[in-house]
Amino acid sequence: MEGPGLAESLTPRSTGQWILAVVALVFLAGAVGYAIRAFAEPSPNELSTVDEGFLIDMVDHHDQAVEMSIIATDRASDPQVRRLAQEVIISQRWELGVMESVLGRGGLTRRTDPEQLAMGWMGMAPMPAAEMPGLATEEQLEELRGASPEQVNDLFLELMIAHHEAGVEMAEFAAADGSNAYVRQFASDVGFNQRDEIDEYRRVQARLAAAAQAPAA
């Protein structure tokens, strides 16, 4: 008996996996470029307080974005919202690897205590890392986890917009006031990408709102 043909084997799940694989390859190509630049730029052990603070705090920021995106990938009802969440998982996990690599080469590590103070490098009053601007509270995360699939669409976009807005401010500050050329360029790229994603999130929000207000057929 012959097995299923190619068209039959490409189920929605396997098709989605192929899409994720293609996107991952695109980011892998970018990672190679970053790796080349990392060795061309000043050594990451030449990090200023701004460089170090940005990398350590942004690692925590990215961790939560990935956490929220995993929830949305699994539970959001809207296909575009799920796709956006998948893109965050892929891109920010890669950026996490870049940041932890740079920290490691400088003899530093990610934060291990959420109560450790953060944001002082931006000239702000130091605060516990768990209270950094843009981070969702535990109550908001619980709401996202327990929301209906339709509610997850809206909650995820709302939380990610606030998350990215704060992330953009952090990235732009590091790009302007950091000392290490590689970190400054990386921060500039992060800020640009997150601004672009905010715009896309808002377009999806508008579409979902219009659909919710449309009269039933």
Side-chain angles (χ1 to χ4, degrees):
M1 180 182 296
E2 294 184 1
L6 178 60
E8 295 172 315
S9 66
L10 287 179
T11 63
R13 180 179 178 82
S14 63
T15 301
Q17 291 171 338
W18 274 106
I19 293 171
L20 280 175
V22 171
V23 175
L25 286 173
V26 170
F27 279 104
L28 178 61
V32 172
Y34 264 112
I36 292 171
R37 278 177 24 208
F39 287 96
E41 299 290 0
S43 171
N45 62 11
E46 300 172 8
L47 299 176
S48 67
T49 300
V50 171
D51 299 324
E52 292 179 11
F54 165 72
L55 292 170
I56 292 172
D57 287 358
M58 190 57 80
V59 164
D60 281 0
H61 240 256
H62 274 32
D63 276 345
Q64 191 185 81
V66 170
E67 179 183 1
M68 293 192 294
S69 297
I70 289 172
I71 296 170
T73 297
D74 182 56
R75 303 199 62 247
S77 65
D78 185 78
Q80 189 174 9
V81 172
R82 292 198 302 272
R83 177 183 62 79
L84 293 172
Q86 290 167 351
E87 290 175 356
V88 170
I89 293 169
I90 293 170
S91 64
Q92 296 213 5
R93 276 181 170 167
W94 170 68
E95 289 174 357
L96 279 165
V98 172
M99 291 188 287
E100 291 192 279
S101 176
V102 174
L103 286 170
R105 289 178 62 194
L108 303 167
T109 61
R110 63 160 50 223
R111 179 183 288 110
T112 57
D113 180 3
E115 294 303 313
Q116 183 179 336
L117 297 181
M119 303 303 294
W121 58 276
M122 281 186 69
M124 300 174 63
M127 64 191 71
E131 298 175 11
M132 281 191 289
L135 290 186
T137 65
E138 277 303 318
E139 291 76 17
Q140 288 173 317
L141 291 175
E142 282 302 313
E143 183 181 6
L144 182 64
R145 294 184 189 106
S148 69
E150 291 72 24
Q151 292 171 329
V152 170
N153 299 330
D154 296 322
L155 282 172
F156 172 73
L157 293 171
E158 178 184 338
L159 291 173
M160 283 301 298
I161 287 172
H163 196 277
H164 273 11
E165 285 175 340
V168 167
E169 289 187 23
M170 294 165 66
E172 291 183 344
F173 187 96
D177 293 281
S179 298
N180 185 280
Y182 176 74
V183 175
R184 289 174 60 190
Q185 182 59 57
F186 176 80
S188 177
D189 292 346
V190 168
F192 178 86
N193 292 337
Q194 292 197 8
R195 278 195 179 279
D196 189 60
E197 288 173 353
I198 288 170
D199 290 341
E200 187 166 11
Y201 296 161
R202 286 180 171 149
R203 288 193 294 270
V204 177
Q205 276 186 322
R207 174 178 63 77
L208 292 173
Q213 295 171 3

